[in-house]
Each structure stands twice: as C-alpha cells, then as structure tokens.
Amino acid sequence: MSIAVTVKNILKTYGKKKELVTALQDINFDVKTGELFGIIGPDGAGKTSLFRILTTLLLADSGTATVDGFDVVTDYKQIRKRVGYMPGKFSLYPDLTVQENLAFFATIFNTSIDENYDLIKDIYIQIEPFKDRKAGKLSGGMKQKLALSCALIHRPSVLFLDEPTTGVDAVSRKEFWEMLKRLKEQGITILVSTAYMDEASLCDRVALMQDGNIMSIDTPAQIVANFGRTLWAVRSGNMLHLLDELNTMKEVENAYPSGTFHHVILKKGYTDAFLQQALSETNNNLEIKAIRPNIEDCFMQLMRR
Amino acid sequence: MTNEKIITADKLSKRFGDFVAVNEISFEVCRGEIFGFLGANGAGKTTAMRMLCGLSLPSSGEATVAGFDVYRENEKIKKSIGYMSQKFSLYEDLTVKENMRFYGGIYGKSDAFIKQKTASVLEQLHLQKEANKLVRSLPLGWKQKLAFSVAIFHEPVIVFLDEPTGGVDPVTRREFWHMIYQAAENGITIFVTTHYMDEAEYCNRVSIMVDGNIEALDTPSALKQIYQSASMDEVFLKLARKATRADG
C-alpha cells in the first residue's frame, strides 16, 4: 500500500526565549493512501499546527514532511493543488452566496462544479435549496457542509479536516462521520482532528496527542488492547461519596467518573473481591463489573505516564 | 439542593417574525440544582438562555430568575447571575489577579471583598504562584477552571455555563465537574449546556429541547427508563432525530 503522508521529526515552536512554546515536539508518523486517520487530542495539543504544516501554510522549525510524495517546503505549489483543507474556523466568503463560494473554489482550482459534482453530490444536495443564500447567513451545520463541499470540489487526493465537529451536536456529528466514510470509499485519504475521544473508534488509525507529543499511534482496537490493566466500573446509591472514598484508598491507582459509573484501576494484586469487601459496608446498591476501556480511558492512562 | 425556585419559566416564548425559536417552554430549577440544558444545534437553547440571562426580551410567557422578572427586572438579573462560555471568559492580556479584580469591580464588590475572595480562589486553585502572570501564559486546562471561578467570583445565585468543557482534555474535564459539584453544594444553582453526553449523567435533572420545545425533562435515570435507553447518548439521539427544522 502506498503512503500518502509522511511526517519525520517535525518540531514547531512559537515565541522567543522566555515565552517559548513548543507546539510540536519531534512528531513522526505515516498515513497510508485511502486511510481515514484521526488526530485525537484536546485544545492546545498541537493539532492545528500540524495540519497547517502539512497543508504548507506554516513552516516547521525542523524535520521533514511529504504529502502525496511532495515535500511540504520545496514542492508547496504541487501540494496546494492536491489537497483539500477545511480549517477549524469558518473560512469561506460570508458575503458570497452558497453557489458563488463553490464556483469560486472550483474556478481557482481550474475546474468546474459540473466536473466533480458526483463527489460532492451527497453533501451539497442538502444545502442546494439555500444556494442563493449568503454563506455568512447559514446555520452552523450548513456552513460545515458548504465548507466540506468547497474543500472537495477540485477532487483532492488528501483531505485535511481540522476539528470539523467541534461545537456540533451528537446527531450532526454522527451524520458528518457517515459522510466521511462515503468519501473514504471514493479513495480519498482523510486526516481529521478532533477533541471528542468517542470519534476515535470511527477512524482506521488514530494518533493520540497531548502537549505537542503523540502518545500512541494505532488502530482504535489495538489502543484499547494496549490498555494492559483491568478496568472496573463501579456504582452505588451515592456516587459523590463513592468517588471520594475510592480516591482515599491506597489500593486504588486511579478513579474517576465516567457517565453513570466511576472507572477504577486498582494497584497490582487487587481485584473486584477487594472492592466489594472495602465498599459494601459504606455503600448501598453497590455494583462492580469489569469493562472494556474506551479511548478516553486509554488517553487518560497515557497522560499519567 | 433545596426547594427554593431559582428559575421559573411558564410558557416562555421567543419569535423572530414567523419563526418560533422558543415555543412555550415551562420548567423550574431549584437552588443548588445542577440542571443540564441539552438540545441539538438550532433547537433554541441559546435563545432561551439569552432570555433567562436578561439579554433578550421574551415574545410571550413568564419567567423569573433569582426572583426577578425577565421583562421588568433584567438589570437585576444580570447582577445576580454568573456566565461562562468556552468562547468568552477571561481577558488574556490581564493577569490572573487583574481578571478577578476586574470582574469583582464590574459586579460592584468592595475592595475588601475582592481582596479576601481573590486569596481564597487562588488557594483553592493552587494558583498563588501564578497570580501575577498573564492569563495568556496559563495552560488551557487551568484557564477553564479559572474562568469558572471568575464566573462565580461575585457569589451569584445561579451560574450559566455554555459548553464550558468543549475541547478540554479528559482529566481537566473531570476536575471541572468536581468544581461544579462543589459550587452546587455551596448553594449555587448550575445551568449548563454540553455536547458531552457523559456529562449529562452528572446533572440532577436534564431537559432536552427539540425544535423550540422542551421534549423531555427529568432525572437522567428516569429519562433512560422512559426512553428505554442504556445511556443519555441514546436518549438524546432518539429525541433529537425527531427534529424537523434545520439547525440555526
């Protein structure tokens, strides 16, 4: 399988001596052609800096990177012709209509809406009834669909989506990921960043990022398999009290709330039998079960290293 | 939590021309309650929140916040509430201490109050060493926690949190909720919107808006039972999928 993106020893800093911020520290990874690759991490992890370097909009301090075989520094013009980029901030022309924006992006890439309509049809058809509306007057969800259509209209080989689902509700997020799946089937390589950990499972492979570092790169299933510890889900009639109690126990390595349960990792040598015994007197309706960790559990465990 | 009503809304509505953004919503929120205000984008959450914060006059219906009427006493409401969103919170080019003095001053607090409260907030957040640093230089997770402390610096009756944890790392997100619990225990009512459905589980009660209406309102466990769902995520999807209007 061929490689669409390579990143080698990329370092990026901002500011000078005293206020030096390291946005990316020695980043390395490859993305295969046709892969749906997720960069998962909170704000400030370095996701946007990385995307801007790969789309040739920002220069790294050191290291090399290629997109579609082209170097991001020397061959930037080639890359700009081949990639689609949807920035985190809405960046279309608010005073042009929906159709004018799309026609504008088609024209600057020397193509036409008709030529590549099949690629965007599924997405564009949803905003077509509003094609004469100014882009600035669209709702959040419609802006997102227009931005994606504009990023696709020149049939890019690699698509970069920087936090496309931030601030988007759970229903629209699901729909957006379904659109991505269909684009992937068309053979487009997709790099997508998100702060929502639950979206990791929808990617072929993910890089978990924090503070300018990649903590782990793997398939979502393998990241979960690498968790390496037993994770216990615990609940009782008084969750707040239960959490305080868990956090004072020296046998507990980590305990934190996660929806309806608290997730608990015990120090080596301890099992649910210990929890049952330790908690049953002070808690009513106690329930303890071993569960499969999710990506957020894995992320938190990696953060502790 | 007590039975004292901090928010009462009765058939509260807001229309923009023909468009009914908020359609006769009725609910009550008690002192010290953590009330989750959910809904898809465009369901009418922001419009409803703006009315409750005294920033937008309703088209019809009644509502009081902290005992004040949203039509006639909106200036009093503004003084009684705290507000924080992911987007707007602190002044990056002021120091930690200056932000507190600024917000304390805006809400008309005395110098003595500001001095004493600043010391206690810095201690609570373990930020004593960073007191004179620009907010810009703080790690993002600290900023969010500081922003919450500043939003309740003037000891409001109720605080409105608009997606306070968007983009925050999972550890900080939990620390943030711990602070919410503490504030609620101290009698501050919490009115919070979020797109994280696990956070909906941490609320005492949750309302879900669909197309301008409150479609469901109950405790998370009751909602899961009513909609025969294993999680709030499922409840939300079942309800929000019924939406017919495009998001706004």
Side-chain angles (χ1 to χ4, degrees), chain B residues 169-185:
Chain B
D169 75 70
V171 173
T172 306
R173 203 150 73 78
R174 285 167 174 83
E175 288 168 358
F176 193 91
W177 270 89
H178 194 70
M179 292 177 71
I180 290 182
Y181 271 108
Q182 280 175 339
E185 278 197 354

Side-chain angles (χ1 to χ4, degrees), chain A residues 19 41-44 130 138-142 163 166-175 178 195-198 210 235 240 243-244 256-261 296-297 299-300 303, chain B residues 39-42 45 86 134 136-137 140 163 166-174 177-178 181 185 195-199 201-202 220 224 230-231 233 236-237 240-241 246-248:
Chain A
E19 286 192 26
D43 291 355
F130 311 99
L138 294 175
S139 72
M142 289 198 280
E163 296 205 33
T166 291
V168 174
D169 68 68
V171 176
S172 310
R173 285 207 282 140
K174 282 215 160 69
E175 285 173 5
E178 278 155 25
Y196 292 107
M197 307 272 153
D198 59 340
Q210 167 85 353
R235 71 172 164 194
L240 201 53
L243 186 63
D244 287 341
Y256 50 88
S258 189
T260 40
F261 287 87
E296 197 174 57
D297 293 310
F299 195 95
M300 291 171 76
M303 276 174 78
Chain B
N41 299 118
K45 297 191 304 282
Q86 187 198 349
L134 294 183
R136 190 194 299 136
S137 70
L140 197 100
E163 287 180 41
V168 171
D169 75 70
V171 173
T172 306
R173 203 150 73 78
R174 285 167 174 83
W177 270 89
H178 194 70
Y181 271 108
E185 278 197 354
H195 285 312
Y196 289 104
M197 287 306 132
D198 60 330
E199 294 184 350
E201 309 270 5
Y202 309 150
K224 280 181 279 183
S231 66
D233 194 34
F236 184 83
L237 289 177
R241 283 224 162 99
D247 62 8

Side-chain angles (χ1 to χ4, degrees), chain A residues 56 70-82:
Chain A
T56 78
F70 294 101
D71 183 90
V72 289
V73 181
T74 54
D75 307 325
Y76 71 94
K77 283 187 180 166
Q78 288 299 323
I79 292 177
R80 289 184 188 180
K81 282 182 196 161
R82 281 154 194 275

